[in-house]
Amino acid sequence: MDPALPSPDAARTELPPPWREVVRRLLVHARCLGAPAEEAEDLAHEAIEVVVADPDWFDPSRGSLVTALKTVLRHRWSNRRRAAGVAERAGGHLRLVEPAPAPDAPLAAARAAEHRQRFLALLEPDERAVFGAWMRQRAREVDGAQAARALGLSLPAYESANKRLRRRAKAILDELGLVAADLYDPPGGPR
């Protein structure tokens, strides 16, 4: 072997470039991925923290430190984009904790009561009876068979009436420009 050429083992254990150069390469890589300048700095910082937190994390015999850190940075960037996409698509539907009652909870409760009255006023008398039986069933005061008997219906007829009522309720809510959640009191409000 020619003494002027480094041995394969020496090339594998070569020292990484100075930290300033590592940071510069990480910043360029983050910017090439599409990260804004401030986010690129954050990503480079997070990638370097991996090495600082656990110095034994990187094994020089497995390749270049810069390449390994670029991989960490790319994964962090992908995770951020994925999380941002989920939050954007489903942010209004995701709630991990029931929100605290708003300071205007009495106003929101009054608004919900007004929406309920408008909704109920548009139901026909027989629909209101089915709705009342269904509410008692949901509160577990009666089961489906008892609710049907109270209305003078068979169980299949009661279930059919419930289906018709659901379609009618959706049409009424659309007509009023409301969603079902608008009929409920806010958390912590009157029940």
Side-chain angles (χ1 to χ4, degrees):
M1 180 185 267
D2 185 6
L5 295 174
S7 71
D9 291 335
R12 277 194 211 114
T13 58
E14 188 177 290
L15 293 175
W19 282 109
R20 182 179 295 262
E21 180 65 17
V22 171
V23 170
R24 187 189 69 73
R25 287 184 186 179
L26 291 176
L27 287 172
V28 167
H29 186 64
R31 293 293 296 196
C32 287
L33 290 173
E38 288 181 8
E39 194 164 3
E41 291 172 2
D42 291 343
L43 289 165
H45 179 82
E46 289 173 16
I48 291 172
E49 277 183 339
V50 170
V51 176
V52 173
D54 183 12
D56 296 331
W57 169 82
F58 177 69
D59 181 9
S61 66
R62 297 191 56 124
S64 161
L65 174 66
V66 174
T67 303
L69 290 175
K70 282 182 178 180
T71 302
V72 169
L73 186 142
R74 188 172 50 253
H75 289 185
R76 301 265 169 122
W77 172 250
S78 297
N79 290 343
R80 285 183 179 191
R81 297 287 56 94
R82 192 175 304 116
V86 168
E88 183 179 306
R89 286 189 313 271
H93 303 289
L94 298 176
R95 269 193 241 148
L96 298 178
V97 182
E98 188 68 31
D104 61 344
L107 178 62
R111 195 173 309 123
E114 177 186 317
H115 292 318
R116 281 192 302 271
Q117 286 179 350
R118 289 174 52 210
F119 171 78
L120 290 171
L122 293 175
L123 289 176
E124 297 296 326
D126 59 329
E127 292 172 330
R128 271 197 296 274
V130 171
F131 186 74
W134 178 74
M135 290 300 289
R136 287 191 301 276
Q137 182 182 352
R138 285 214 40 191
R140 300 191 195 287
E141 296 172 11
V142 295
D143 63 7
Q146 292 169 328
R149 275 195 305 276
L151 293 172
L153 300 172
S154 67
L155 185 58
Y158 171 67
E159 290 172 352
S160 294
N162 265 338
K163 288 180 185 175
R164 285 192 304 276
L165 178 62
R166 275 195 295 267
R167 287 192 296 272
R168 175 87 165 107
K170 183 175 178 353
I172 291 173
L173 289 173
D174 289 344
E175 180 183 323
L176 294 174
L178 301 173
V179 295
D182 294 334
L183 302 177
Y184 296 107
D185 290 323
R191 289 267 178 227

